[in-house]
Amino acid sequence: VFYDHFHKLKGSGLTYGCSEVSDVSASVELACHLQHPKWPEAVEIGLEILKRVYFARLQQLEQVYDLGADPQYRK
C-alpha cells in the first residue's frame, strides 16, 4: 500500500513541478519495494520531509526546498 502511494506521489511531483516530492517519494518507494528492514522508518521520515517541503512551498512558491540540507533526507 505504501509503495503504491509513494509511487503515485513520485509521478505527481514531476507532473506539477515539485521535484522535491518526487525525490523523497522515489526513495521511500524503493525502500518499500525492496522491503528494506527499515521501510516503516523510511515512510515516517518521508512523510515528515514532505510536510516540510509543503510548508516551505507555501511560504515561497517558486523556491525549491533544499533536500541536501535536510539531515533526515540523508538517512
Side-chain angles (χ1 to χ4, degrees):
V1 172
F2 288 112
Y3 168 83
D4 290 336
H5 288 299
F6 280 98
H7 179 76
K8 291 175 188 174
L9 278 171
K10 180 179 74 173
S12 296
L14 291 175
T15 300
Y16 294 105
C18 191
S19 61
E20 309 96 283
V21 169
S22 293
D23 293 344
V24 171
S25 298
S27 297
V28 178
E29 173 195 30
L30 182 62
C32 292
H33 178 70
L34 298 176
Q35 295 182 345
H36 188 279
K38 292 190 175 187
W39 73 262
E41 181 182 356
V43 169
E44 286 184 40
I45 290 171
L47 290 173
E48 286 300 318
I49 294 171
L50 289 175
K51 286 180 198 175
R52 288 195 288 279
V53 169
Y54 172 74
F55 287 117
R57 285 288 185 127
L58 273 181
Q59 292 174 5
Q60 302 216 359
L61 293 177
E62 298 300 319
Q63 186 173 345
V64 175
Y65 183 80
D66 185 6
L67 289 173
D70 191 313
Q72 284 192 308
Y73 182 69
R74 289 181 256 157
K75 285 185 177 183

